[in-house]
Amino acid sequence: QVQLQESGPGLVKASQTLSLTCTVSGGSITTNYYYWSWIRQPPGKGLEWIGYIAYTGSTHYSPSLKSRTSISRDTSKNQFTLQLSSVTPEDTAVYYCARGPRPSTTPREYDYWGQGTQVTVSS
């Protein structure tokens, strides 16, 4: 059974870079043909896909966030990391990491999720 766990600071100041790590257990992030995403849910809004890193290490980002987003991985630790730069209060959300069986930008197509972590951006 694959398990994902997000970690990182819960409070970030505006204009700084948000950095979160997802630690995966029960399966390798390099296993064919899985895709590892970051997804967020702002208060009172729906789920928003941010980007993924594929089992190959290739990445794909949401066009609306692409200029501020970087997703990388550490295969020795079986972790992948989100960096979102120049944050504003509008980036306040619960951030999730998730695994999917295909290169999807649709959150509901991801089958394994972390519990989520609240990140608040202070102005």
Side-chain angles (χ1 to χ4, degrees), residues 12-79:
V12 182
K13 294 183 179 179
S15 80
Q16 293 186 341
T17 295
L18 178 163
S19 183
L20 296 173
T21 296
C22 183
T23 301
V24 179
S25 59
S28 171
I29 61 173
T30 62
T31 299
N32 299 348
Y33 297 94
Y34 291 114
Y35 296 80
W36 305 87
S37 271
W38 287 98
I39 297 163
R40 69 182 183 180
Q41 185 166 28
K45 298 184 179 180
L47 294 168
E48 179 183 19
W49 176 78
I50 300 170
Y52 67 64
I53 186 163
Y55 61 99
T56 58
S58 64
T59 55
H60 183 55
Y61 304 124
S62 168
S64 65
L65 297 169
K66 184 177 182 179
S67 64
R68 301 194 289 128
T69 305
S70 177
I71 299 175
S72 59
R73 68 181 184 176
D74 185 335
T75 57
S76 67
K77 296 181 179 178
N78 215 33
Q79 296 175 332

